């Protein structure tokens, strides 16, 4: 006679539960090609989203945005730009723990590649293609990694810059952005970017984009990090802040003229 299974193992509660509700998240990453390589920038904020489910309240939701009733910028020194192998640089928006999982996948990939000891190494295009497969595979399992990724690099004199979303949508371009940067930074880049940007001009352009995001994105903080990758390697600069001006009239009374606002 088959033994009776405990009631706790029966029913929908016995299904495997995975992290579907982002808890600590980072906002935009902006990256451009410049004369000598790739420049990438992000702020260092970690936004903590409080969920009703996380507090054990009897609320059923289907989208993470619906369960957020408040948030706070708890972490202000989160590095979201990391070197990958010899030729690539990776930036991430979204869930920080999922980004750490992606970095673990990439560490294993780079280690496996190095074990061949054949004098070759993975370039940015190969790493970007690998990331698109990872994100699309997890999306098909209905257990996505809640990140938007920006991958840039230089190999054999060829600059490469691409992005991939949490569901595997990907493309490459001369400038890319994630998060609010897609809406606020890329219009600026379309107007002001050109392929012969010097390092100094590229940094100034990224600072302009990050300042706009600081003004308009609630989750951004005034602590930025800029990294570059060239044929010589990766340099991730120390964090710094930008001078801001909050005296604009629109900031003084943001609800003025808005019908029905508080």
């Amino acid at each position: 006679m088959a033994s009776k299974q405990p009631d706790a193992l029966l029913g929908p509660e016995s299904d495997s539960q995975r992290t579907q509700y982002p808890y600590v998240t980072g906002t935009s990453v902006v990256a451009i090609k410049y004369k000598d390589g790739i420049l990438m920038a992000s702020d260092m904020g970690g936004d903590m989203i409080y969920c009703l489910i996380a507090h054990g309240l009897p609320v059923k939701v289907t989208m993470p945005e619906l369960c957020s009733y408040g948030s706070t910028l708890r972490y202000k020194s989160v590095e979201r730009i990391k070197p990958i192998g010899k030729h690539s640089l990776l930036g991430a928006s979204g869930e920080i723990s999922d980004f750490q999982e992606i970095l673990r996948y990439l560490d294993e990939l780079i280690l496996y590649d190095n074990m061949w000891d054949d004098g070759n190494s993975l370039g940015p295009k190969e790493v970007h293609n690998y990331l698109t497969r990872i994100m699309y595979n997890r999306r098909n399992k209905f257990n996505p990694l809640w990140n938007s990724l920006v991958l840039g690099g230089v190999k054999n004199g060829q600059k490469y810059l691409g992005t991939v979303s949490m569901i595997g949508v990907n493309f490459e371009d001369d400038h890319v952005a994630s998060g609010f940067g897609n809406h606020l930074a890329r219009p600026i880049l379309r107007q002001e970017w050109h392929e012969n940007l010097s390092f100094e001009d590229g940094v100034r352009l990224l600072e302009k984009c990050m300042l706009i995001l600081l003004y308009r994105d609630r989750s951004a903080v005034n602590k930025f990090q800029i990294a570059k990758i060239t044929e010589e390697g990766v340099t991730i600069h120390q964090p710094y802040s930008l001078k801001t001006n909050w005296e604009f009239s629109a900031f003084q009374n943001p609800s003025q003229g808005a019908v029905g606002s508080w």
Side-chain angles (χ1 to χ4, degrees):
M1 180 181 295
S3 60
K4 183 179 179 181
Q5 295 292 327
D7 293 338
L9 298 181
L10 304 177
E13 290 78 17
S14 63
D15 296 340
S16 176
Q17 299 296 316
R18 299 178 175 87
T19 304
Q20 296 293 333
Y21 303 98
Y23 198 64
V24 179
T25 60
T27 184
S28 306
V29 177
V30 182
I32 60 174
K33 293 180 181 178
Y34 78 106
K35 184 172 61 174
D36 299 322
I38 303 295
L39 283 171
M40 190 178 297
S42 75
D43 74 347
M44 304 189 69
D47 192 43
M48 178 168 280
I49 301 174
Y50 291 100
C51 237
L52 298 177
I53 289 179
H55 290 272
L57 299 179
V59 177
K60 183 175 182 179
V61 296
T62 57
M63 292 293 290
E65 291 84 356
L66 298 180
C67 70
S68 174
Y69 66 84
S71 61
T72 179
L73 285 165
R74 177 171 180 179
Y75 306 106
K76 298 181 176 65
S77 296
V78 180
E79 294 188 8
R80 296 186 287 116
I81 301 177
K82 298 291 184 180
I84 305 298
K86 298 178 181 179
H87 309 288
S88 303
L89 193 63
L90 178 66
S93 297
E95 171 63 36
I96 301 302
S97 62
D98 282 350
F99 180 42
Q100 294 169 338
E101 179 76 356
I102 291 169
L103 292 175
R104 187 180 68 82
Y105 292 157
L106 291 172
D107 284 343
E108 293 177 356
L109 178 71
I110 298 300
L111 177 61
Y112 180 76
D113 180 62
N114 290 338
M115 287 171 62
W116 288 96
D117 196 22
D118 57 0
N120 192 22
S121 55
L122 292 174
K125 186 172 184 179
E126 291 80 22
V127 176
H128 185 229
N129 289 338
Y130 174 79
L131 290 173
T132 63
R133 298 303 90 204
I134 289 291
M135 303 303 277
Y136 187 66
N137 175 265
R138 289 289 295 262
R139 173 258 193 188
N140 286 343
K141 292 181 178 179
F142 295 91
N143 183 25
L145 294 163
W146 289 79
N147 297 105
S148 293
L149 305 174
V150 173
L151 191 286
V154 182
K155 184 179 181 183
N156 299 328
Q158 298 295 316
K159 293 175 283 189
Y160 185 92
L161 183 59
T163 182
V164 55
S165 74
M166 62 177 286
I167 59 174
V169 176
N170 63 92
F171 62 90
E172 57 178 292
D173 206 340
D174 294 323
H175 48 78
V176 298
S178 64
F180 266 88
N182 264 323
H183 309 285
L184 301 177
R186 293 208 70 197
I188 299 172
L189 297 175
R190 291 187 185 105
Q191 290 183 345
E192 301 186 20
W193 179 89
H194 58 86
E195 61 183 357
N196 292 319
L197 279 173
S198 66
F199 172 76
E200 292 77 13
D201 290 339
V203 168
R204 281 193 287 269
L205 181 56
L206 286 180
E207 286 180 345
K208 181 177 181 179
C209 294
M210 299 309 291
L211 192 59
I212 294 297
L213 289 168
L214 174 63
Y215 285 146
R216 297 297 182 184
D217 185 354
R218 175 193 58 79
S219 298
V221 297
N222 192 11
K223 188 178 182 182
F224 304 101
Q225 195 167 34
I226 289 183
K228 72 173 182 178
I229 181 167
T230 65
E231 199 71 65
E232 286 72 36
V234 175
T235 302
I236 300 180
H237 296 278
Q238 291 297 314
Y240 64 99
S241 299
L242 296 174
K243 184 178 180 180
T244 59
N245 177 18
W246 298 95
E247 300 302 320
F248 297 111
S249 59
F251 293 155
Q252 297 297 317
N253 190 3
S255 63
Q256 184 177 10
V259 178
S261 69
W262 291 351

